[in-house]
């Protein structure tokens, strides 16, 4: 296999708000950054509908447009944006070495990890069995296929409410399956969901499995699991959407960079620095708490400034 070696002062891994913001700052600081856009170019926001809370867009903006704007801003200052997935990292010596797509290698004086997080699944065998056949973790991507049909969304947070609201505009009916007796989502999202006629919230409910000949045709539900009122029933659905949170995309860094017990990258001293000087983390990959686009962009900025400082202090 051909191995290619390229040097850069600043390698940015990930193309969400954190990655692109880091690129804008690093490029303007003359670090000539190379950015690898990963398996989901543009990150999670490309799968959301309207973004109403990103400052600077008083009328809201679509996730796609916001990411396109950030990308163009990073390009404007000369960021080298490349397709590819970082599959390995060697942090034992400086410059650091990464492997791209399992074959090519690249050496970098500093690395900013902004790989974000991915949707979680319940872990039911049926989720795999019906993958692409009615099971999805992205209403914006797949909602169109369920026009005038019946779907279920699992989860009680902002994502679940947002997905349910979006799907309610396409589908005939939307079940929202919530394991607790209340929604965890922000008040405004709770109110919106509760006002929509074709959304039915199933509180205290868990999904036991899915059924259907070839495609999903329904879900087995248990209400009040473990209580004296426990009740099993089925709902007829054509689509089953997961919206139960995310897990950080850190598989390629496990054992090389310090992670917390949930797999998020640990940062130190109120900076974006990981346990390895010269390697920084920005955005959702290091943020189990805020997980907002604007917060990710903020840490992307900080990571680029931290990387620049490292370069200057080490006269690289
Ligand atoms: P959250 O972690 O906030 O919510 C996850 C939901 O899924 C919870 O209701 C949780 O239930 C439920 N859940 C988790 N595991 C299971 C399981 N195994 N079975 C059934 N249900 C399960 O994740 P979100 O993705 O909704 O939100 C993440 C962050 O992003 C939040 O800070 C949110 O505010 C933010 N966000 C903001 C948006 C906006 O402002 N427009 C849009 C989307 C997200 P339980 O409550 O019982 O733990």
């Amino acid at each position: 296999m051909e191995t290619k070696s390229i040097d850069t002062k600043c390698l940015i891994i990930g193309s969400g708000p954190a990655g692109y913001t880091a690129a804008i700052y690093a490029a303007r600081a003359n670090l000539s950054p190379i950015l690898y856009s990963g398996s989901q170019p543009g990150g999670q926001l490309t799968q959301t509908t309207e973004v109403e809370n990103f400052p600077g867009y008083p009328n809201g903006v679509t996730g796609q447009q916001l990411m396109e704007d950030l990308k163009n801003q990073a390009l404007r200052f000369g960021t080298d944006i490349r397709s590819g997935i970082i599959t390995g990292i060697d942090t034992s010596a400086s410059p650091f070495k990464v492997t791209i797509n399992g074959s090519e290698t690249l050496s970098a004086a500093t690395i900013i990890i902004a790989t974000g997080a991915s949707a979680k699944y319940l872990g039911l065998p049926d989720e795999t069995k019906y993958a692409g056949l009615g099971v999805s973790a992205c209403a914006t991507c797949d909602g169109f296929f369920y026009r005038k049909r019946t779907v279920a969304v699992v989860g009680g947070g902002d994502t679940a409410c947002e997905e349910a609201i979006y799907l309610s505009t396409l589908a005939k009916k939307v079940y929202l399956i919530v394991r607790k007796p209340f929604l965890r989502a922000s008040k405004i999202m709770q109110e919106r969901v509760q006002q929509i006629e074709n959304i039915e919230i199933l509180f205290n409910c868990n999904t036991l499995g899915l059924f259907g000949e070839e495609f999903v045709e329904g879900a087995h539900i248990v209400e009040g699991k473990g209580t004296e009122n426990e009740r099993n029933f089925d709902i007829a659905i054509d689509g089953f959407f997961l919206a139960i949170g995310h897990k950080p995309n850190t598989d390629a860094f496990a054992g090389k960079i310090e992670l917390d017990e949930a797999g998020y990258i640990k940062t130190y001293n109120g900076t974006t620095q990981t346990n390895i000087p010269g390697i920084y983390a920005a955005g959702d990959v290091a943020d189990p708490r805020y997980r907002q686009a604007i917060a990710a962009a903020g840490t992307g900025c900080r990571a680029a400034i931290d990387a620049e400082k490292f370069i200057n202090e080490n006269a690289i």
Side-chain angles (χ1 to χ4, degrees):
M1 220 172 289
E2 190 193 304
T3 303
K4 204 165 86 184
S5 224
I6 318 155
D7 285 319
T8 176
K9 282 188 179 174
C10 182
L11 170 69
I12 298 166
I13 311 174
S15 56
Y20 281 140
T21 305
I24 293 164
Y25 275 78
R28 294 186 80 251
N30 282 338
L31 301 188
S32 307
I34 294 175
L35 179 149
Y36 273 89
S37 52
S39 56
Q40 190 180 67
Q44 292 176 66
L45 277 190
T46 57
Q47 311 213 335
T48 195
T49 44
E50 193 78 359
V51 179
E52 294 178 338
N53 51 12
F54 199 93
Y57 291 94
N59 301 315
V61 60
T62 65
Q64 287 279 3
Q65 187 60 53
L66 176 56
M67 294 321 301
E68 203 52 38
D69 288 348
L70 285 171
K71 181 181 177 181
N72 285 334
Q73 200 171 349
L75 283 170
R76 180 181 157 204
F77 299 107
T79 305
D80 180 350
I81 298 176
R82 301 180 182 185
S83 306
I85 298 169
I86 302 305
T87 48
I89 185 166
D90 179 356
T91 59
S92 59
S94 184
F96 309 111
K97 277 210 167 56
V98 296
T99 311
I100 302 130
N101 299 332
S103 55
E104 294 172 60
T105 60
L106 181 147
S107 60
T110 64
I111 298 178
I112 295 172
I113 301 173
T115 46
S118 298
K120 277 190 197 163
Y121 285 75
L122 293 172
L124 301 171
D126 287 339
E127 289 169 321
T128 317
K129 181 175 171 190
Y130 295 103
L133 301 172
V135 172
S136 168
C138 177
T140 328
C141 319
D142 301 326
F144 184 76
F145 301 115
Y146 300 93
R147 278 195 309 167
K148 298 194 168 50
R149 304 181 84 174
T150 301
V151 297
V153 176
V154 186
D158 280 324
T159 304
C161 290
E162 199 175 70
E163 306 256 286
I165 292 166
Y166 176 69
L167 287 166
S168 74
T169 63
L170 298 163
K172 185 172 64 188
K173 172 164 183 138
V174 180
Y175 290 103
L176 185 57
I177 305 171
V178 184
R179 68 178 173 183
K180 292 220 172 103
F182 55 85
L183 292 166
R184 180 204 284 220
S186 54
K187 281 278 169 289
I188 187 167
M189 294 301 266
Q190 291 190 28
E191 281 167 15
R192 282 185 196 170
V193 155
Q194 276 154 354
Q195 278 163 10
I196 296 174
E197 271 183 14
N198 63 339
I199 298 180
E200 180 179 343
I201 308 179
L202 303 176
F203 285 114
N204 286 315
C205 284
N206 282 286
T207 311
L208 297 174
L210 303 169
F211 58 89
E213 192 100 327
E214 187 184 349
F215 297 92
V216 169
E217 291 172 22
H220 302 300
I221 305 290
V222 56
E223 182 183 7
K225 192 163 187 266
T227 69
E228 58 182 21
N229 297 322
E230 182 171 318
R231 177 173 79 95
N232 285 39
F233 61 99
D234 290 347
I235 53 172
I237 52 169
D238 305 293
F240 184 74
F241 288 84
L242 284 310
I244 59 168
H246 293 80
K247 72 173 187 55
N249 297 323
T250 50
D251 288 354
F253 312 113
K256 302 291 173 67
I257 291 168
E258 201 180 345
L259 309 177
D260 71 10
E261 52 296 335
Y264 289 88
I265 296 179
K266 280 185 167 183
T267 55
Y268 287 89
N269 306 324
T271 71
T272 62
Q273 192 195 295
T274 65
N275 64 314
I276 298 171
I279 302 188
Y280 306 92
D284 287 11
V285 76
D287 178 11
R289 186 182 174 96
Y290 300 105
R291 295 180 291 187
Q292 300 297 304
I294 189 63
T299 52
C301 153
R302 291 167 57 205
I305 292 173
D306 289 338
E308 185 191 5
K309 196 159 181 282
F310 179 88
I311 298 269
N312 290 339
E313 282 173 358
N314 291 280
I316 296 169

